[in-house]
Amino acid sequence: MVESSQLRAETVESKGRLSCEPVMPARKVPTLHDDVRDGLLSKPRSLPAKYFYDDRGSKLFDQICDTQEYYPTRTEDALLHDCASTIVNKLKPQHVIELGSGASRKTRRLFDACAELGCHVKYWPFDVCEEMLRGASEDLVGEYDWLHIKGLVGDYNAGFDHLPEFEGSSLFVFLGGTIGNFEHDQAVAFLSELRHSMRLGDMLLMGADRIKDEHILNAAYNDDAGVTADFNLNLLNILNRELGSNFEPEKFRHHAFFNEEKSQIEMHLIALEEQTISLTALNEKIAFKEGETILTEISRKFTLESLKSLLKEAGFSFNDHFEPDDEYFSLILAEPA
Ligand code: SAH
Ligand code: AVI
């Protein structure tokens, strides 16, 4: 049995290896008020996907990862399991900086490889959701007794000018297919900006979802247990809390489908009946007709060629590529060109 004083000592010790700090934005990004004015008050109605991730939203996303239908997480995890040693061996990084780290689930594969190869990196998870970032980091310092973590809380769309100076080589990690949540031009701008903050010898490991049978794609965003629906509808609770609005989530439904022409899943909230919503904080009202939709997320799906050309456009050169036999998902290793 572990003595409670021993447990306390371990907690204090592991906390010494963990700290969190805000990242100063390099420029002003639109606030929720701006995005609601631009996106919700005009048609077609839409909102940026980053607003999903309050504490509950982040936990719901983590539950999505466990659904049978949502193949990206387990596919990428298995890929990382197989290629982590190759990547760590290639770069021998001193730092792992992860953008949109969430629960840092799959990053464990990299840490396992680091432990095996005696490459004791410092981990810098960067996420907009502080609760999830702190919780995940606390778990990690408990699991890896050599790991030092400096959590970075902020919006990665606000630029990377104020990231700390990383001494030695860095592996930047952007997993989960989150690049697919950006429009093409935004993705190029984001990756170019990231590339400018990288140094010669640094590398980027990026996960991206591939085009596949549309039934599999549609099922992944319409799980039977309704977790993705809850994740989508939770956005209305977030708006109620942040804007003092009076959305009733039960008066909307989740709708997600693969738009083949645009090669993207589109996630919408559809008004089930005519209704008027007051946005107290903005002193505005929105009148919804029955069937009117809000676009809450795009999730673009790639070919290997479209991924390579995206990275090239952002100034990266291709280093390596990992995919499973069914070609469901890609992990690309790239370096500043
Ligand atoms: N990388 C994890 C989590 C993906 S979910 C995985 O592969 O499972 C997307 C993550 O990006 C969430 O944790 C969310 O909080 C974070 N995120 C979304 N928009 C962001 C932004 N603009 N800045 C920083 N983090 C963001
Ligand atoms: C975070 N991102 C990559 C997920 C995706 O698949 O686009 C978010 C998600 N939305 C619904 N399910 C998962």
Side-chain angles (χ1 to χ4, degrees):
M1 213 179 87
V2 183
E3 294 290 327
S4 63
S5 58
Q6 189 185 334
L7 255 184
R8 242 193 330 272
E10 273 172 16
T11 315
V12 170
E13 196 280 324
S14 50
K15 286 260 166 69
R17 290 185 280 115
L18 165 62
S19 62
C20 258
E21 61 185 47
V23 180
M24 260 228 312
R27 58 173 172 275
K28 251 177 82 107
V29 283
T31 61
L32 173 64
H33 287 204
D34 299 331
D35 283 327
V36 166
R37 279 189 199 287
D38 284 357
L40 265 198
L41 297 178
S42 59
K43 292 184 191 173
R45 303 191 199 280
S46 68
L47 271 181
K50 73 173 172 192
Y51 295 117
F52 279 131
Y53 299 95
D54 69 341
D55 190 27
R56 176 157 188 262
S58 294
K59 286 180 178 141
L60 282 168
F61 175 73
D62 204 39
Q63 285 175 33
I64 291 175
C65 297
D66 285 327
T67 62
Q68 192 273 326
E69 294 90 343
Y70 195 72
Y71 61 85
T73 306
R74 61 174 178 277
T75 310
E76 191 180 33
D77 192 51
L79 264 182
L80 270 168
H81 175 267
D82 292 346
C83 69
S85 303
T86 307
I87 294 165
V88 172
N89 243 330
K90 220 177 243 210
L91 183 61
K92 308 235 167 37
Q94 273 145 286
H95 305 277
V96 170
I97 301 116
E98 179 167 9
L99 306 169
S101 46
S104 306
R105 280 185 177 220
K106 294 159 287 183
T107 327
R108 285 171 168 78
R109 301 298 177 194
L110 288 171
F111 300 142
D112 292 340
C114 288
E116 218 175 281
L117 298 164
C119 180
H120 288 173
V121 293
K122 188 164 185 179
Y123 180 46
W124 307 78
F126 183 171
D127 206 284
V128 76
C129 179
E130 182 166 358
E131 294 92 336
M132 180 52 94
L133 187 133
R134 281 186 187 275
S137 299
E138 274 164 20
D139 290 347
L140 282 171
V141 286
E143 287 168 47
Y144 298 89
D145 61 9
W146 49 269
L147 190 62
H148 285 75
I149 303 185
K150 197 122 196 195
L152 303 169
V153 184
D155 183 339
Y156 52 48
N157 291 130
F160 303 111
D161 291 3
H162 299 297
L163 281 185
E165 285 272 318
F166 304 112
E167 301 255 318
S169 60
S170 299
L171 177 63
F172 288 77
V173 193
F174 192 36
L175 299 179
T178 305
I179 192 65
N181 299 135
F182 292 65
E183 297 281 1
H184 176 79
D185 290 352
Q186 289 173 343
V188 173
F190 171 80
L191 291 171
S192 307
E193 193 165 22
L194 178 63
R195 194 217 353 128
H196 278 112
S197 78
M198 290 169 68
R199 295 187 309 191
L200 209 67
D202 291 351
M203 286 197 187
L204 166 68
L205 179 67
M206 186 172 84
D209 200 10
R210 299 274 291 273
I211 298 172
K212 58 186 66 62
D213 184 305
E214 71 173 316
H215 296 103
I216 293 166
L217 286 169
N218 282 325
Y221 293 82
N222 289 284
D223 63 282
D224 274 348
V227 189
T228 310
D230 285 350
F231 173 73
N232 196 6
L233 288 160
N234 183 51
L235 188 59
L236 301 177
N237 298 323
I238 294 171
L239 295 178
N240 286 347
R241 192 179 61 229
E242 300 296 327
L243 302 174
S245 54
N246 58 344
F247 283 101
E248 293 172 74
E250 56 286 359
K251 291 191 177 168
F252 285 80
R253 77 176 169 88
H254 162 75
H255 179 53
F257 65 97
F258 184 57
N259 179 334
E260 197 177 347
E261 202 186 314
K262 293 189 171 168
S263 238
Q264 64 191 23
I265 289 281
E266 291 179 12
M267 213 157 76
H268 295 259
L269 288 169
I270 302 189
L272 289 171
E273 59 187 64
E274 191 175 305
Q275 52 195 294
T276 299
I277 307 298
S278 302
L279 307 172
T280 311
L282 296 178
N283 204 16
E284 296 277 3
K285 285 189 190 314
I286 313 179
F288 284 97
K289 294 200 181 75
E290 182 184 334
E292 212 177 295
T293 86
I294 308 171
L295 174 66
T296 51
E297 185 181 65
I298 60 161
S299 189
R300 292 167 58 228
K301 309 300 166 190
F302 299 86
T303 60
L304 180 52
E305 291 65 38
S306 66
L307 266 177
K308 281 185 175 170
S309 94
L310 167 63
L311 284 162
K312 193 170 170 204
E313 210 177 326
F316 281 95
S317 67
F318 173 88
N319 181 289
D320 214 341
H321 175 241
F322 310 90
E323 65 183 3
D325 292 343
D326 59 15
E327 301 180 359
Y328 270 23
F329 202 88
S330 277
L331 269 173
I332 288 210
L333 195 60
E335 48 203 333

